[in-house]
Amino acid sequence: MADHENNGVSLNDIFLFIKKHPKKLFMPAGISLILVLLLIAISWCLLPRNSHYGQKITILLENRNNQQVYPSGKPFSNADCLSPLVLQQVYRDNHLETRVPFEQFCGMFYVSNADFQLAAINALFSEKMNKKNISIVDMNRLEKEYREQIAKNGKGPLELSFSPDFAISKSEAAKILNSIPQSWYAIYSKLEAQRFPQMETNASLQEFRRSIGQGGQLILLEKSRIFCEQLIQMCDQLNEMLQGQNVSLPDGEYLGDIRKQLLSLKRYQIDVFLQFVLNHRELQGAYDQIFLQSRLNQLEYELTRVNNKHKGVLDSMQIISDTQPHNNVSDTKDKNSSLTLQVDNGFFNSLVELIRHDATNEMRKTYAEKSLKYKEMIAELEAEKEYYQQMLEMRKNESALPIDKQNLISREKFQKNMQDMLNELEQLNTKVTQFRDLIVSQYLSSRQFYAVDSPVSFSSELCYPMMRISLGILLLWLLGNLVYGIICFRRLDW
């Protein structure tokens, strides 16, 4: 051994030593390797992990102007699914008050909107647009196709994610994640519900009935007409909410049947009675003319207000048009010419950004929609104003004879007909109310808000990098065996 130390150690000496003492070297190395692998396996099993639960849902709300909106018309936001109202409900329903603070619980959720279809469209058109020597004709055609594809492609599914940092079982975590869209629907279906027309109660109708024969009948009939129109509007909204379902009351009546009865009541009773009262001054009261004049004054005010709003919208559209840059000369060239453009790799990205952030076109579209809305309001107000003007003119007619002298119908018969009309209106009001309660309580469901695309998925990852830990342990094992081999080489007599 001393000779080797004095003369130095060659590579041949090392191989000779390994060949002479294989058990001394490889048996401890093999045993220690088994122990090391066992240690790595135990570490992989026992080291803390971050658990992740995910669920994909598709929002089924109505799409207006490429934006999903609630029945109330308010735009939907991804953050609504994880609003404090929703998470508070989930927190209480799962009895987590004693297990985790609410503020900490809220931080365990997030929502993402990964639209893979949109990414595929962008990749496809990026490849087409990045071709060299692309002509203006092809560029315009591709741009049009791209806009159409973007318009057809709705929002992708939402992915709700839950990463708990407290002890919880998989089944309980899945239950919590499943309850989020349910709680969101339960809260926002009421919070952002469709606004129904205001309806009179049966108590109000009974008050109408007591007014028959007491003073003028014009105001009473006008209230009845407005109430009947509100019921018709309610029928139309309920029909939209049914989405094609055939729903009937226990007595077999459908919503369409009730709407027809309301139209018949308005057309053949209320409108006829109104005309009859306008033709007979003794059926009119002292306040009828004041009522008609008041309605005309109110309509004049509403018309002035809406006209000013409409003028403001038109002025804004004019300002936007005046501030637009003029087209370049190259834009006025014949699109069918053979002119080509050299397009670099960033051209398509710029085009995408231009399309997505074309604020001017969006503003024009918004103002155009507002203009149409105000024009419709003006038309309705003008029609209502003309209606009341005609009523006022007819009331001033001095040639009308008293009801008894015309010998058409007695006052008592007229009052009896009015009683029958209000009785029928009250019955129809009760049926519409029953339909509303039936639809809201039994036929509205979460399918109008969302659909679950997949069951809750689970994944987990170690809090610490297992690959680095394993490599470190193996490196220590290798270093230890190397030291052990050197010690054996120096101590053993070989």
Side-chain angles (χ1 to χ4, degrees), residues 307-433:
N307 274 317
N308 288 336
K309 285 187 175 183
H310 184 238
K311 183 177 180 299
V313 169
L314 294 179
D315 291 342
S316 299
M317 293 178 67
Q318 185 64 37
I319 291 172
I320 294 174
S321 299
D322 290 343
T323 56
Q324 289 305 299
H326 297 289
N327 293 333
N328 296 328
V329 177
S330 59
D331 294 336
T332 62
K333 291 185 177 181
D334 184 7
K335 292 184 179 181
N336 295 322
S337 64
S338 59
L339 178 64
T340 59
L341 297 176
Q342 297 293 335
V343 182
D344 57 14
N345 291 331
F347 177 81
F348 179 73
N349 294 331
S350 300
L351 178 60
V352 172
E353 292 299 318
L354 179 63
I355 294 172
R356 288 180 177 174
H357 301 92
D358 193 356
T360 301
N361 287 340
E362 288 298 324
M363 291 176 66
R364 284 178 174 175
K365 184 178 181 181
T366 300
Y367 282 127
E369 290 173 351
K370 285 185 176 181
S371 176
L372 290 174
K373 176 184 175 182
Y374 288 140
K375 287 293 288 182
E376 290 177 358
M377 293 175 64
I378 291 170
E380 292 176 359
L381 290 171
E382 289 283 2
E384 193 171 359
K385 177 184 174 183
E386 184 176 353
Y387 169 77
Y388 282 108
Q389 282 177 338
Q390 290 177 355
M391 290 180 67
L392 189 61
E393 291 297 326
M394 292 184 67
R395 188 187 180 281
K396 293 178 180 179
N397 184 10
E398 300 291 344
S399 62
L401 295 175
I403 183 172
D404 296 330
K405 290 185 178 181
Q406 288 188 347
N407 197 25
L408 294 174
I409 186 173
S410 66
R411 189 186 301 270
E412 293 74 16
K413 180 64 173 177
F414 174 76
Q415 293 177 1
K416 176 66 169 57
N417 291 339
M418 289 278 289
Q419 285 281 2
D420 294 340
M421 180 270 294
L422 288 177
N423 289 337
E424 186 176 354
L425 187 60
E426 183 177 354
Q427 293 174 4
L428 291 172
N429 176 50
T430 301
K431 291 180 180 180
V432 172
T433 304

Side-chain angles (χ1 to χ4, degrees), residues 111-202:
V111 60
S112 60
N113 190 181
D115 196 341
F116 300 106
Q117 188 174 359
L118 180 60
I121 293 173
N122 287 339
L124 175 63
F125 280 87
S126 177
E127 180 181 355
K128 292 181 179 180
M129 295 292 287
N130 285 334
K131 292 180 179 180
K132 299 295 183 180
N133 299 327
I134 185 171
S135 68
I136 292 180
V137 176
D138 291 337
M139 185 182 69
N140 289 332
R141 178 179 55 80
L142 288 173
E143 181 181 348
K144 181 180 178 181
E145 291 179 3
Y146 179 76
R147 289 179 183 273
E148 291 175 351
Q149 290 294 329
I150 292 295
K152 290 180 181 178
N153 177 52
K155 286 189 175 182
L158 294 181
E159 183 170 0
L160 301 175
S161 300
F162 176 39
S163 298
D165 57 6
F166 64 101
I168 187 173
S169 65
K170 289 184 179 180
S171 60
E172 190 177 9
K175 179 176 177 291
I176 290 174
L177 199 56
N178 277 320
S179 64
I180 287 181
Q182 297 171 3
S183 299
W184 167 69
Y185 162 72
I187 293 173
Y188 278 83
S189 62
K190 297 179 177 63
L191 192 64
E192 300 297 339
Q194 187 172 0
R195 302 296 184 255
F196 293 118
Q198 187 176 1
M199 295 171 56
E200 298 286 350
T201 62
N202 284 337

Side-chain angles (χ1 to χ4, degrees), residues 293-308 381-382 385 389:
Q293 193 61 55
S294 173
R295 285 296 299 147
L296 283 172
N297 293 338
Q298 183 66 26
L299 289 170
E300 285 285 358
Y301 166 74
E302 289 291 331
L303 272 171
T304 302
R305 185 174 63 87
V306 177
N307 274 317
N308 288 336
L381 290 171
E382 289 283 2
K385 177 184 174 183
Q389 282 177 338

